[in-house]
């Protein structure tokens, strides 16, 4: 399968990167990281998830990941100071920020690159753009949690500027934020734990994007 972005073509079957008509060398780790980022366009990937995917079962530092990201950026012509393709999500990880085209891809997207907040669960990251996001059991909601202990529309997350809030939508089992069941809208801060049914979620905001609204930290 071949996919195209910017002035590059990524041949996944032949494991080749072509830029401006010329093959560009990538190390095996760099090619695999680029493939993972392209495959997961539409969401940001945390550093820990990328380390587990690219170096499974091996302990490596964040510096190793940063070196491979630098190699990719140099190969695809991305500017490290103003990266538009492999974007850094400060305090979290990386997101693929270019539109991807190809007869077999079936989709394009750049939304995750503009997100500054995420809901994390295990190895998954749900990007939160500006606006409302429903959490629940019904397929198609923004944060889908497949469990009978989760209501179809269980809770609502709202991102407005630098402020993110959550409110329960009358669910049977409730929404737990920072260890207490909420009855009113609650403002979230990076690192807050949210328990919904059997799921222990973590809210994460990019560095400098912590919520600052006052008077709404209800429980």
């Amino acid at each position: 399968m071949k996919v195209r972005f910017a002035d590059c073509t990524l041949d996944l079957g032949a494991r080749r990167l072509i830029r401006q008509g010329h093959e560009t060398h990538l190390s095996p780790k760099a090619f695999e990281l680029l493939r993972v980022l392209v495959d997961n366009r539409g969401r940001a990937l945390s550093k820990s998830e990328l380390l587990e995917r690219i170096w499974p079962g091996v302990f490596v530092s964040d510096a190793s990941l940063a070196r491979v990201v630098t190699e990719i950026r140099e190969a695809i012509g991305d500017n490290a100071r103003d990266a538009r393709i492999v974007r850094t999500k400060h305090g979290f990880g990386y997101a693929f920020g270019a539109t991807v085209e190809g007869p077999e891809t079936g989709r394009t997207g750049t939304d995750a690159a503009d997100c500054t907040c995420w809901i994390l669960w295990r190895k998954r990251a749900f990007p939160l753009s500006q606006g409302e996001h429903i959490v629940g059991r019904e397929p198609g909601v923004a944060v889908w949690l497949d469990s009978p202990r989760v209501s179809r529309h269980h809770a609502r997350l709202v991102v407005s500027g630098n402020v993110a809030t959550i409110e329960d939508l009358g669910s049977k089992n409730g929404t737990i934020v920072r260890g207490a069941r909420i009855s009113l809208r609650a403002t979230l801060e990076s690192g807050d734990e949210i328990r919904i049914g059997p799921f222990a979620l973590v809210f994460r905001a990019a560095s400098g994007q912590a919520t600052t609204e006052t008077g709404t930290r209800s429980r």
Side-chain angles (χ1 to χ4, degrees), residues 19 41 49 84 88 108 135 137 139 197 213:
R19 182 181 175 221
R41 61 197 180 276
E49 179 176 354
R84 298 182 179 277
T88 300
T108 62
V135 183
R137 192 178 78 247
E213 185 175 278

Side-chain angles (χ1 to χ4, degrees), residues 41-208:
R41 61 197 180 276
R43 73 182 184 99
L45 298 174
S46 67
K47 291 180 181 178
S48 60
E49 179 176 354
L50 290 171
L51 288 171
E52 288 184 11
R53 289 195 182 207
I54 308 304
W55 290 274
V58 179
F59 176 77
V60 295
S61 67
D62 289 356
S64 297
L65 178 60
R67 282 194 293 271
V68 175
V69 168
T70 297
E71 179 185 346
I72 292 173
R73 285 174 173 162
E74 290 178 351
I76 63 180
D78 210 7
N79 187 334
R81 292 187 177 182
D82 185 26
R84 298 182 179 277
I85 301 176
V86 178
R87 296 186 176 180
T88 300
K89 302 314 248 178
H90 295 286
F92 183 74
Y94 298 94
F96 193 82
T99 298
V100 175
E101 300 176 346
E104 296 156 350
T105 60
R107 63 190 179 103
T108 62
T110 59
D111 291 348
D114 298 322
C115 295
T116 56
C117 302
W118 299 266
I119 290 293
L120 310 181
W121 179 66
R122 294 184 178 176
K123 295 181 180 180
R124 297 192 63 186
F126 300 91
L128 304 176
S129 57
Q130 294 289 310
E132 296 188 358
H133 308 272
I134 299 298
V135 183
R137 192 178 78 247
E138 184 173 285
V141 299
V143 182
W144 180 46
L145 304 176
D146 190 16
S147 168
R149 293 171 55 190
V150 177
S151 299
R152 291 186 178 278
H153 285 196
H154 195 106
R156 177 187 291 114
L157 287 155
V158 178
V159 180
S160 179
N162 290 342
V163 177
T165 60
I166 186 170
E167 62 180 312
D168 188 78
L169 296 177
S171 66
K172 181 178 180 180
N173 294 313
T175 300
I176 312 299
V177 178
R178 298 182 293 273
R181 183 166 179 164
I182 61 172
S183 57
L184 300 173
R185 184 185 61 166
T187 301
L188 295 170
E189 293 184 353
S190 188
D192 278 349
E193 182 182 81
I194 305 167
R195 296 196 68 91
I196 293 180
F199 300 93
L201 311 172
V202 176
F203 171 76
R204 189 70 67 190
S207 177

